[in-house]
Amino acid sequence: MTHTLPGRRLSRAAVGVLAAATLTGLASLPAVAVAAEPDLGIGQLAPITGAQPGSGVDVPFSVLNKGTEEVGKVWVSYTVTSGLAAADSYGNCMYSTESSADEEPEKAVAVCAVDQPLKPGVLYVPEQPIGLKAQDSALYDKVRVSVDSTEPGPSDNGGSDPVPGTGAPLKLVEKGPATDADRASHGEASSSADVTAVNTADFALTGARLKGEVGDKVTASVKFVNDGPAWVYRELGQGAATVDVRIPPGTSVVKAHDFCSPVTKTHYTCGTSQSWVNPGRGETYPFVLRIDKAVEGATGKVSFTGADRPFDKNAANDTADLVVDAGAGTTGGSSTGGSTSGGSSTGGSTTGGSSTAGSTTGGSASGGSTTGGGAAPQTATGGNLAATGSSSSLPLVGASAAALVAGGGIFYAVRRRAAAVK
């Protein structure tokens, strides 16, 4: 039997006594008053519509001290997306930009130190609404206003260094005692609103015309571009555009762009890298296609799909063709965007007298095509087929039959020898 040492019992008892004494001592200490944290709120911002590019945009807001103590100084900050800019330069504000990150676009930021006390339960508004300007690229933009009792730190996303404003300071004035409705509408320390401008953005598509032979791989580069003048900013997580790509008949997709997903083998939809697209920017979607058979006038289609585009008033460039002109024979060239390069092809081609797509070496079958005796003719579906009536067919068949008989004889001899050993 294992016995517990007496000394261990005494140590545990001593620990229990000391812990009880400590708790008793702590309970007898006088309570220390803890100051209440400031509780500040920004009123819900109302959406702004009908902004005109090049014109001013006023953003009214209100601040409420929901706490029980006066707050001696606050920091009011506001951020805007790239279609908006600060029209007023307040002397107590620092202006900078915040780089795009986490699927959010670049923003302009102003942090204003309002050095005046805010009484509890009183509603405050600026002397004048924040002054912004709608840029030529304005369309779907956002403004966000927040209030803090301590100075906000720099953004983790990086950006430009802060620059002080040069005009009169941003000031808050009392509007009156807060009502229950005011308290309900000032529940958070920040609020955002959409700013919609009267503007257009021309989304355009470009297809491709390619040339090649049956068995070739060709690269079709489908292009989407925003010809402006406005940028387009969708909701977070939603692509700026969705492009529908239908592959020309007689071809198959070897590799699609990473932004493209198959609907069927001949139908793909492609998105964008971000939820916004600036003027003059867009996406290029390369598709590597294999020409499986010659189809006269083989034409695929490229078009927009997905979210509505009420800002796009030019429908003439909303669709494009994807054309493949194919011959009936094989070739040793690979085509990219309709041009032929090098002297070798990565699919169904012949290099130095050998074929690189599923080959046969030394007369043994591997993948259904041949290497080491010249390129095998291609079927309409891109496979290999011996030329019917060709003088080279009979030797090849005879060699295959001989190899089969020889293999069977070897297998039979090995079986007999193994049986004799036993």
Side-chain angles (χ1 to χ4, degrees):
M1 179 181 294
T2 302
H3 298 279
T4 305
L5 295 177
R8 183 173 297 177
R9 288 199 189 99
L10 291 175
S11 297
R12 290 178 177 174
V15 169
V17 171
L18 289 173
T22 302
L23 291 173
T24 302
L26 290 174
S28 65
L29 291 175
V32 178
V34 178
E37 289 289 332
D39 187 6
L40 302 172
I42 286 283
Q44 295 176 1
L45 301 182
I48 299 171
T49 60
Q52 297 289 335
S55 300
V57 178
D58 290 338
V59 182
F61 70 94
S62 55
V63 179
L64 176 60
N65 177 4
K66 298 179 291 180
T68 58
E69 302 292 334
E70 184 176 274
V71 179
K73 182 178 182 179
V74 297
W75 280 262
V76 173
S77 305
Y78 57 95
T79 63
V80 295
T81 50
S82 65
L84 301 171
D88 296 330
S89 178
Y90 301 107
N92 57 341
C93 298
M94 300 293 289
Y95 296 88
S96 62
T97 58
E98 181 180 321
S99 301
S100 61
D102 298 329
E103 299 184 4
E104 289 280 1
E106 182 180 275
K107 299 180 181 68
V109 182
V111 179
C112 308
V114 182
D115 193 2
Q116 65 181 81
L118 269 62
K119 302 173 185 177
V122 175
L123 199 63
Y124 290 84
V125 295
E127 287 182 318
Q128 298 292 331
I130 292 174
L132 302 177
K133 179 182 177 181
Q135 309 270 60
D136 291 342
S137 62
L139 181 60
Y140 302 142
D141 285 276
K142 289 184 180 293
V143 58
R144 179 177 181 268
V145 181
S146 59
V147 61
D148 297 278
S149 59
T150 57
E151 184 176 7
S155 169
D156 294 335
N157 300 335
S160 65
D161 293 331
V163 176
T166 57
L170 176 67
K171 293 182 179 180
L172 300 176
V173 295
E174 292 187 22
K175 185 178 179 181
T179 64
D180 290 342
D182 291 332
R183 291 184 177 277
S185 64
H186 290 70
E188 302 294 335
S190 65
S191 180
S192 300
D194 294 332
V195 180
T196 306
V198 181
N199 208 351
T200 62
D202 183 15
F203 280 12
L205 290 172
T206 304
R209 189 177 191 94
L210 311 171
K211 291 183 179 181
E213 304 292 340
V214 172
D216 280 356
K217 292 179 183 178
V218 295
T219 300
S221 292
V222 175
K223 296 182 180 179
F224 149 64
V225 67
N226 173 18
D227 283 335
W231 82 313
V232 175
Y233 178 30
R234 303 285 196 178
E235 291 298 324
L236 186 65
Q238 182 183 18
T242 304
V243 178
D244 191 85
V245 180
R246 296 181 183 269
I247 307 304
T251 66
S252 56
V253 177
V254 177
K255 180 176 174 55
H257 190 267
D258 290 344
F259 295 166
C260 301
S261 300
V263 179
T264 67
K265 290 182 179 180
T266 60
H267 180 194
Y268 282 72
T269 56
C270 305
T272 56
S273 58
Q274 301 290 354
S275 57
W276 70 92
V277 57
N278 291 317
R281 303 299 295 271
E283 303 284 359
T284 298
Y285 309 108
F287 279 80
V288 180
L289 306 177
R290 177 182 173 86
I291 303 176
D292 298 322
K293 61 181 179 180
V295 176
E296 185 177 357
T299 303
K301 286 290 183 182
V302 183
S303 59
F304 287 113
T305 186
D308 292 338
R309 295 171 292 109
F311 49 82
D312 189 350
K313 307 301 182 182
N314 180 18
N317 53 15
D318 289 352
T319 61
D321 289 340
L322 197 57
V323 182
V324 175
D325 295 325
T330 58
T331 181
S334 63
S335 175
T336 302
S339 63
T340 304
S341 60
S344 64
S345 168
T346 54
S349 66
T350 305
T351 305
S354 64
S355 171
T356 56
S359 60
T360 309
T361 305
S364 62
S366 172
S369 59
T370 60
T371 301
Q378 302 292 315
T379 68
T381 56
N384 294 323
L385 178 67
T388 305
S390 170
S391 60
S392 63
S393 301
L394 291 178
L396 178 61
V397 172
S400 299
L404 179 61
V405 171
I410 293 171
F411 177 72
Y412 179 70
V414 171
R415 289 285 302 271
R416 296 242 354 221
R417 180 164 182 165
V421 171
K422 292 179 180 179

